[in-house]
Amino acid sequence: MLKNWAVVPTCLPLIRRRCHACASERFRASGKFRVNAHHKILDAWLLVLCTDCGETAKLAVLERVNVRSVRPELLDRLHDNDPGLTAELLQDPLLQHRNRIDLDWDNAWRLDTGEPDHLDYEVIDVSVRFAARIPVRPERLIAEGCGLSRAEVERLTTEGKLVSAVRLSGKISGDFTFTLKR
């Protein structure tokens, strides 16, 4: 029996970054952008708010870029404070590296397993797809999706009844498949 599961975000993740005002380490995206033009040079930032004190910080999106090199659609989305653009930019590894941030996905995603009829079969093949780059342990997804404890998932892996091409104990954020034999 082939099943398709999806790991989907439920909200924007928190941003791990140290606050200079209160020493908190969590920010949330405000969903607003600030665009500044100086003659033909453009800067754009995503505004984020400290979860403790509310202090505003800026994440650099564009720095000292010639206006003509910016796609008009991107500029429109920045001016419109497009929430979809916020989600896209937060997942951009370049933006994360440039701004020295990490994302905290705790309580910001869910596992969609479809209909719960998979427990009736002897062997199930499951394809897990990620709608966003959410780092999760495959053991946790399998335990949650199949109604097992993490210890049971580890035992099934050791016994060879749970097999996958990816390492199930570490975190991954990309699509994978596994087979479970009862």
Side-chain angles (χ1 to χ4, degrees):
M1 173 71 185
L2 178 64
K3 296 294 290 178
N4 291 309
W5 292 358
V7 178
V8 294
T10 56
C11 61
L12 291 175
L14 291 178
I15 300 155
R16 289 190 193 121
R17 175 186 173 158
R18 187 169 167 76
C19 178
H20 297 290
C22 74
S24 168
E25 294 189 4
R26 299 283 189 270
F27 282 79
R28 65 177 174 79
S30 70
K32 298 194 183 298
F33 294 94
R34 177 164 181 217
V35 180
N36 188 24
H38 183 71
H39 299 288
K40 294 180 183 180
I41 303 298
L42 191 73
D43 291 303
W45 301 275
L46 171 61
L47 302 179
V48 295
L49 305 170
C50 176
T51 57
D52 286 352
C53 70
E55 182 74 15
T56 301
K58 299 184 292 188
L59 301 181
V61 176
L62 300 172
E63 293 180 299
R64 312 296 297 162
V65 176
N66 189 306
V67 173
R68 290 183 185 199
S69 67
V70 179
R71 293 185 332 267
E73 314 85 56
L74 175 60
L75 202 50
D76 289 342
R77 291 176 77 188
L78 288 167
H79 285 298
D80 293 341
N81 293 317
D82 184 350
L85 181 60
T86 300
E88 289 172 30
L89 290 173
L90 282 178
Q91 299 221 16
D92 182 2
L94 250 63
L95 182 123
Q96 290 178 19
H97 178 73
R98 182 183 320 128
N99 290 284
R100 295 186 201 105
I101 62 169
D102 289 317
L103 300 180
D104 181 357
W105 282 98
D106 290 348
N107 302 317
W109 61 272
R110 69 177 169 79
L111 177 64
D112 182 11
T113 59
E115 313 83 43
D117 64 352
H118 56 271
L119 299 175
D120 300 339
Y121 298 98
E122 281 294 315
V123 177
I124 59 167
D125 293 311
V126 178
S127 174
V128 181
R129 302 283 175 241
F130 286 76
R133 294 172 29 103
I134 304 171
V136 183
R137 294 183 189 280
E139 287 178 337
R140 178 178 176 190
L141 294 176
I142 295 167
E144 185 177 320
C146 294
L148 304 170
S149 69
R150 296 258 309 261
E152 284 179 281
V153 171
E154 289 177 21
R155 181 183 56 78
L156 290 168
T157 303
T158 304
E159 293 174 357
K161 293 182 177 182
L162 176 60
V163 292
S164 179
V166 300
R167 192 175 60 130
L168 299 176
S169 58
K171 286 188 176 183
I172 64 169
S173 58
D175 301 347
F176 72 98
T177 59
F178 69 90
T179 301
L180 176 62
K181 302 170 190 167
R182 296 260 179 191

